[in-house]
Amino acid sequence: MSMREPGKRAGLIFSALAAAISGNALLSAPAHAQRQIDDPNLSPMLFGPTRQEERDKIRQDQRDQEEAAILTAEQERDANALDDPKTRPLIFGDGPEGEDPVAGRITLGEKDDNRNFFGALNFLIPDETNLSLGIGPIYRPDYFGSDDYEFGADPQVYVKFRNFVFLDDDGVDFGIVGFSRFRAGPSIKIRGRRDQDENPALDGLGDVGTTFEMGGFVATTFLDRFAFKAKARHAIKTGHHGTVVDGYLTALLFRAGPVSLAASGQATWVDDDFADAYFSITPEQSAATGGRLDPYDVDSGFRDVGGSVNAYINIGDRWSLNPYASYQYIFRDYAESPIIADYGDRNQFTFGFHIMREFTFGGTGQ
């Protein structure tokens, strides 16, 4: 996680969006697209089946006989199930008239395990693009590891293009391979630069330039309300020159009327080059600080672990309010860097909310 990334996020997100659209067309949250993980009724696994759920199952069995009518909905559920509620603004109002929220499952079910094995088929149907735009205030450290906090504006953009390209503030994912509960493909991200003038603690360390990262992702869902995603990306131009691996586990906790609550866990591993760029201090850098920061060398390893809690509140059909809070704990080798040990804090908190507006183009969108 770049220490400069927060301050540059807005420009980077919209730049990535423009680039993705110009090439073909590409993660925070469309309504219809993420309803399957944000909107289902309470899980029978956790709370036991209800009479309503039993009635819903009967209706679902009847709809299963209408293969042509449900094919598009099932394919859409398959792709949208992998979206991460942490970065998505939730459900934007109720679905189409007569839609059964329990039937709107994350998975396609046993009968559909081999449907849409090739992502190319998902690219062709449905012919629909989901776009969500939002903005809100954020309160966070001024660089990763800092104990100085600042308020800022936090724009959000989410695009899902034909079940194939997904864009959010964590980059762009291309679902080349997708079937039932699994999806995989290339992933790219632009990591913002860290300037030494962001904070007096960084004076003399030099800048870490903007980094273009490329790699891949895998994602899966299970038990109808849990989602796991992992991304591994390597710098291919300027910046840190290293490799970073992120893992996320997200669970939908409950839905009550227009309010839903989700929780996520996260861990990040970095290699030597990434660690050196952001946490190590060379003898030359130490001298440039006038000896204020002692030389320090850190190797590859798990950089941090953390979690977040996100609430989603529908406001009408296409608006939602998304308050959130997150925490990250920096592991010892990185927390002992003078940048953090002398001038920062290994405990990192972020608070904020977004107001989101969802748009749908093509297909049945309005």
Side-chain angles (χ1 to χ4, degrees):
M1 179 176 181
S2 169
M3 302 176 188
R4 182 61 176 171
E5 185 177 358
K8 301 295 186 180
R9 180 182 294 177
L12 294 175
I13 293 172
F14 287 103
S15 297
L17 173 60
I21 293 176
S22 65
N24 255 333
L26 195 47
L27 208 124
S28 214
H32 193 64
Q34 78 248 3
R35 184 178 297 116
Q36 283 67 45
I37 194 168
D38 286 334
D39 196 24
N41 287 343
L42 297 177
S43 170
M45 179 199 69
L46 299 177
F47 302 95
T50 64
R51 292 181 180 177
Q52 179 63 42
E53 289 170 332
E54 293 173 355
R55 291 193 296 269
D56 290 338
K57 185 179 184 303
I58 294 175
R59 291 197 298 270
Q60 175 61 25
D61 291 340
Q62 294 172 345
R63 280 193 294 273
D64 284 343
Q65 299 175 6
E66 303 172 0
E67 180 65 22
I70 69 170
L71 176 59
T72 298
E74 287 179 330
Q75 292 172 327
E76 182 176 2
R77 288 197 299 270
D78 182 31
N80 296 331
L82 302 178
D83 296 337
D84 182 355
K86 173 188 179 304
T87 57
R88 300 177 306 141
L90 169 71
I91 345 122
F92 294 81
D94 296 331
E97 183 177 357
E99 179 174 309
D100 180 0
V102 174
R105 296 161 56 87
I106 292 178
T107 62
L108 293 179
E110 296 180 358
K111 297 181 180 180
D112 301 301
D113 283 345
N114 295 317
R115 183 174 294 168
N116 303 331
F117 182 83
F118 296 102
L121 299 180
N122 291 336
F123 179 79
L124 295 176
I125 48 180
D127 184 11
E128 182 173 282
T129 297
N130 298 99
L131 167 66
S132 292
L133 301 175
I135 193 169
I138 187 171
Y139 184 63
R140 60 190 169 195
D142 58 4
Y143 69 88
F144 184 76
S146 175
D147 61 358
D148 294 324
Y149 283 71
E150 63 182 6
F151 281 100
D154 186 30
Q156 289 287 302
V157 175
Y158 172 92
V159 175
K160 180 184 75 69
F161 175 70
R162 295 190 176 186
N163 292 344
F164 176 68
V165 184
F166 302 86
L167 175 147
D168 73 348
D169 57 357
D170 193 44
V172 187
D173 298 332
F174 300 88
I176 299 298
V177 177
F179 59 94
S180 189
R181 305 180 184 188
F182 178 83
R183 187 165 300 275
S187 179
I188 62 176
K189 179 177 181 176
I190 300 176
R191 190 178 296 270
R193 63 185 288 114
R194 185 190 79 179
D195 293 331
Q196 64 175 346
D197 59 2
E198 284 185 338
N199 189 295
L202 305 176
D203 287 345
L205 298 181
D207 300 334
V208 180
T210 300
T211 307
F212 183 79
E213 301 173 353
M214 178 172 288
F217 82 98
V218 295
T220 186
T221 61
F222 52 97
L223 300 178
D224 292 341
R225 58 181 49 240
F226 298 93
F228 172 78
K229 180 178 287 187
K231 297 184 180 185
R233 291 178 289 210
H234 181 74
I236 63 175
K237 183 176 178 60
T238 68
H240 57 73
H241 300 287
T243 298
V244 57
V245 180
D246 296 302
Y248 309 92
L249 178 63
T250 300
L252 174 64
L253 301 182
F254 76 90
R255 161 93 191 233
V259 179
S260 293
L261 184 69
S264 296
Q266 162 271 325
T268 299
W269 180 93
V270 298
D271 72 351
D272 290 344
D273 290 332
F274 189 102
D276 287 341
Y278 291 105
F279 302 98
S280 293
I281 301 173
T282 65
E284 292 76 16
Q285 289 175 319
S286 177
T289 67
R292 176 176 55 86
L293 299 176
D294 294 331
Y296 185 79
D297 182 62
V298 63
D299 297 323
S300 62
F302 282 95
R303 184 192 66 176
D304 65 272
V305 65
S308 65
V309 176
N310 298 258
Y312 308 102
I313 306 170
N314 288 335
I315 308 173
D317 291 338
R318 292 181 176 267
W319 290 89
S320 73
L321 178 64
N322 169 211
Y324 61 90
S326 67
Y327 168 76
Q328 290 172 283
Y329 178 82
I330 304 174
F331 287 118
R332 185 185 65 183
D333 289 349
Y334 305 94
E336 289 181 353
S337 169
I339 302 171
I340 299 176
D342 296 343
Y343 294 94
D345 190 343
R346 70 191 309 168
N347 300 291
Q348 301 284 282
F349 299 90
T350 302
F351 306 94
F353 67 85
H354 298 117
I355 297 177
M356 304 295 298
R357 174 65 162 90
E358 185 256 356
F359 305 88
T360 304
F361 307 96
T364 59
Q366 300 179 353

